[in-house]
């Protein structure tokens, strides 16, 4: 069915909710490792303390994907999930910086990540629902652009609050968490729900046709039917999507290592400390925020530039180049002792991150059957979550004996994995493919 052609402004507004959603993710990436440190956690435990994101994504997204494919309500097909997830995310962000213990922060991280995942999967599917094939590249890459912009602001918010609004870098709230972190999370809480509401009010979902309503009404809605749909979709997964699993394994293992340990790598290489209670460590946190803001700004700009390039050279080849540059940057960062040079390396990270959040979804959208968009977007998220869980399971035990308890070595492992991901994606055959038939 031909869908209404949307203007650039409409596509940007329909994806504005990604700004709030990804501001939340950016806050986690920049601040959860320091928060664990402020609350007294050991560095070797950072990996498993972050399992809330991949674990909830692994469980929640395929289920929500299947449910949203089968939803037909007065508010729309995906909208109810946008709203429920946004409220949960808002609550998690509001209370996180008030954590007084590791257990409290760990529990709130689960609430926050369930909310993020309830919203995320339908948002990916919504692009496929709302746009024709010739506009999907811009649709997904505009989500990637908002990811870069939102995470740029999330990483930079502590620096802005300290240097432009006069918040003390030494003032703390509960659990020794800096006040600049608390205010940043509260800003994120407002954005998470405000931008989602703007999106659904300005560019509402298309009304389902009578045939589509009848098809959905005829589908079973039980928990067993949902699980069977997920299982059937796994068995009948298109071949190109199967090949993307290897790429995802390496790229998301690499990003898990980067997010989890880059602050502590910088604190050692630039500031000569690993002690979270020192002023030098807080400087490393602010520096990582600035570097993270810069690489996300690169991601924002490059994602918009990638839309025509992806159509010309292919999303897979473009992604391979960007992952290679990100891998080289990760290998370089642990050896940098000058703060200014970190921003040079951040260019490679930004190009890789901008590509990760857009190009794989272009390949995927051209591969999966439209009637199963939700469930396959949810299953694809399993390709993200499983590598993160593998990272948590392996790094917890490898950190001390194999990597010498040094965060810089984690980034080197991440760089190697990113290069392996580039090789894997280059081998993927793009284009709509027939499903792989079960044996």
């Amino acid at each position: 069915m031909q869908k209404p052609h949307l203007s650039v402004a409409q596509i940007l507004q329909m994806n504005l909710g990604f700004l709030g959603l990804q501001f939340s993710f950016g806050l986690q990436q920049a601040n959860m490792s320091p928060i664990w440190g402020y609350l007294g956690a050991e560095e070797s435990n950072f990996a498993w303390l972050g399992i809330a994101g991949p674990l909830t994504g692994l469980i929640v997204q395929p289920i929500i994907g299947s449910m949203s494919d089968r939803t037909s309500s007065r508010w729309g097909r995906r909208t109810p999930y946008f709203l429920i997830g946004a409220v949960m995310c808002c609550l998690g962000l509001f209370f996180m910086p008030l954590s007084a213990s590791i257990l409290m922060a760990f529990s709130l991280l689960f609430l926050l990540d369930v909310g993020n995942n309830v919203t995320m999967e339908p948002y990916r599917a919504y692009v496929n629902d709302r746009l024709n094939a010739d506009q999907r590249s811009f649709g997904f890459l505009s989500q990637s652009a908002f990811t870069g912009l939102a995470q740029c602001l999330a990483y930079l918010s502590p620096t802005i609050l300290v240097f432009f609004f006069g918040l003390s870098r030494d003032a703390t709230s509960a659990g020794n968490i800096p006040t600049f972190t608390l205010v940043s999370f509260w800003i994120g809480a407002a954005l998470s729900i405000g931008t989602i509401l703007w999106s659904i009010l300005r560019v509402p979902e298309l009304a389902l046709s009578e045939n589509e309503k009848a098809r959905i009404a005829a589908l079973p809605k039980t928990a067993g039917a949902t699980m069977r749909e997920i299982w059937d979709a796994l068995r009948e997964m298109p071949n190109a999507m199967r090949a993307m699993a290897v790429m995802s394994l390496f790229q998301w293992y690499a990003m898990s290592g980067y997010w989890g340990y880059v602050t502590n790598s910088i604190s050692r290489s630039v500031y000569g400390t690993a002690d979270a209670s020192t002023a030098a460590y807080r400087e490393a946190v602010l520096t990582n925020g600035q570097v993270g803001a810069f690489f996300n700004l690169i991601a924002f700009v490059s994602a918009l530039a990638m839309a025509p390039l992806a159509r010309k050279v292919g999303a897979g080849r473009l992604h391979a180049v960007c992952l290679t540059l990100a891998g080289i940057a990760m290998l370089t960062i642990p050896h940098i002792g000058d703060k200014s040079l970190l921003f040079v390396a951040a260019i490679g990270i930004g190009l890789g991150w901008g590509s990760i959040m857009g190009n794989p979804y272009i390949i995927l959208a051209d591969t999966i059957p439209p009637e199963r968009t939700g469930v396959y977007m949810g299953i694809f998220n399993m390709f993200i979550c499983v590598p993160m869980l593998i990272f948590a399971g392996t790094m917890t035990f490898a950190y001390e004996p194999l990597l010498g308890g040094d965060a810089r070595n984690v980034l080197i492992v991440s760089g190697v994995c990113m290069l392996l991901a580039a090789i894997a994606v280059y081998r993927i055959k793009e284009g709509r493919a027939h499903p792989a038939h079960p044996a």
Side-chain angles (χ1 to χ4, degrees):
M1 181 183 73
Q2 191 72 10
K3 301 158 190 173
H5 187 88
L6 298 187
S7 67
V8 168
Q10 287 174 310
I11 294 175
L12 291 176
Q13 287 185 85
M14 72 175 278
N15 285 318
L16 185 65
F18 243 65
L19 183 74
L21 185 64
Q22 293 298 334
F23 193 94
S24 168
F25 276 115
L27 288 173
Q28 289 185 57
Q29 292 161 16
N31 294 286
M32 286 316 301
S33 289
I35 285 174
W36 302 133
Y38 299 141
L39 296 174
E42 296 292 332
E43 275 188 13
S44 59
N45 292 326
F46 284 5
W48 78 261
L49 284 170
I51 65 168
L55 188 60
T56 55
L58 182 68
I59 296 169
V60 171
Q61 286 213 24
I63 293 173
I64 294 298
S66 179
M67 289 174 62
S68 69
D69 280 345
R70 296 161 180 256
T71 296
S72 176
S73 74
R74 58 181 292 188
W75 299 285
R77 192 179 194 181
R78 317 291 181 185
T79 299
Y81 303 97
F82 296 165
L83 293 174
I84 293 169
V87 170
M88 295 175 71
C89 182
C90 180
L91 292 173
L93 287 169
F94 184 85
F95 288 106
M96 177 62 76
L98 299 176
S99 297
S101 67
I102 294 172
L103 179 60
M104 182 177 176
F106 187 71
S107 302
L108 285 169
L109 189 57
F110 269 90
L111 172 65
L112 175 56
D113 281 328
V114 168
N116 279 335
N117 281 294
V118 167
T119 303
M120 174 72 78
E121 190 289 324
Y123 230 124
R124 294 290 192 193
Y126 183 43
V127 172
N128 227 22
D129 292 346
R130 197 68 167 80
L131 300 178
N132 292 307
D134 63 333
Q135 290 195 299
R136 282 187 202 132
S137 290
F138 183 71
F140 284 117
L141 285 168
S142 66
Q143 287 189 348
S144 181
F146 275 126
T147 297
L149 177 60
Q151 293 187 5
C152 171
L153 296 173
Y155 273 87
L156 198 57
S157 56
T159 297
I160 293 173
L161 291 169
V162 168
F163 288 100
F164 293 95
F165 289 92
L167 265 68
S168 170
R169 70 183 66 199
D170 296 318
T172 60
S173 57
N176 202 36
I177 296 172
T179 303
F180 60 70
T181 301
L182 180 144
V183 177
S184 296
F185 271 73
W186 285 1
I187 292 170
L191 281 175
S192 66
I193 198 160
T195 56
I196 290 287
L197 287 172
W198 181 278
S199 289
I200 62 179
L201 291 173
R202 297 292 294 179
V203 189
E205 291 188 70
L206 292 174
L208 294 172
S209 67
E210 292 304 317
N211 288 340
E212 191 68 7
K213 288 179 181 177
R215 185 188 70 80
I216 292 173
L219 294 172
K221 306 296 192 300
T222 64
T226 298
M227 300 312 295
R228 279 194 301 275
E229 167 63 10
I230 294 170
W231 175 248
D232 288 345
L234 281 167
R235 289 190 306 123
E236 298 164 16
M237 190 184 303
N239 290 321
M241 186 174 174
R242 292 176 186 270
M244 293 174 76
V246 178
M247 169 205 76
S248 294
L249 171 63
F250 288 118
Q251 76 180 19
W252 287 105
Y253 194 99
M255 290 307 301
S256 297
Y258 180 84
W259 290 326
Y261 288 90
V262 67
T263 298
N264 288 56
S265 174
I266 292 172
S267 73
R268 283 173 167 84
S269 64
V270 178
Y271 295 96
T273 184
D275 186 350
S277 66
T278 62
Y281 186 85
R282 288 193 290 274
E283 283 297 324
V285 172
L286 289 172
T287 295
N288 181 52
Q290 294 156 18
V291 171
F294 181 70
F295 89 64
N296 277 290
L297 180 62
I298 296 294
F300 167 62
V301 174
S302 65
L304 295 175
M306 283 181 199
L309 279 175
R311 288 193 298 268
K312 185 174 182 179
V313 305
R317 289 186 177 183
L318 180 59
H319 192 44
V321 171
C322 292
L323 292 184
T324 299
L325 295 172
I328 294 170
M330 288 181 182
L331 291 170
T332 303
I333 287 172
H335 305 289
I336 294 175
D338 182 342
K339 174 182 173 179
S340 61
L341 293 178
L342 291 172
F343 292 90
V344 178
I347 295 172
I349 304 292
L351 290 171
W353 183 231
S355 183
I356 285 171
M357 294 304 292
N359 284 314
Y361 295 95
I362 297 172
I363 301 170
L364 182 65
D366 288 339
T367 300
I368 57 179
E371 67 275 8
R372 277 181 158 174
T373 294
V375 69
Y376 274 125
M377 288 290 179
I379 289 171
F380 189 68
N381 191 66
M382 295 169 67
F383 295 174
I384 300 172
C385 298
V386 170
M388 289 182 169
L389 291 172
I390 293 173
F391 175 82
T394 56
M395 193 54 62
T396 298
F397 298 104
Y399 189 70
E400 293 288 347
L402 298 181
L403 301 177
D406 192 329
R408 290 171 290 190
N409 292 330
V410 180
L411 262 68
I412 292 172
V413 171
S414 296
V416 171
C417 287
M418 198 62 89
L419 295 177
L420 292 173
I423 295 170
V425 72
Y426 190 79
R427 296 168 60 88
I428 294 174
K429 294 180 179 179
E430 296 180 56
R432 187 164 295 279
H434 296 292
H437 295 290

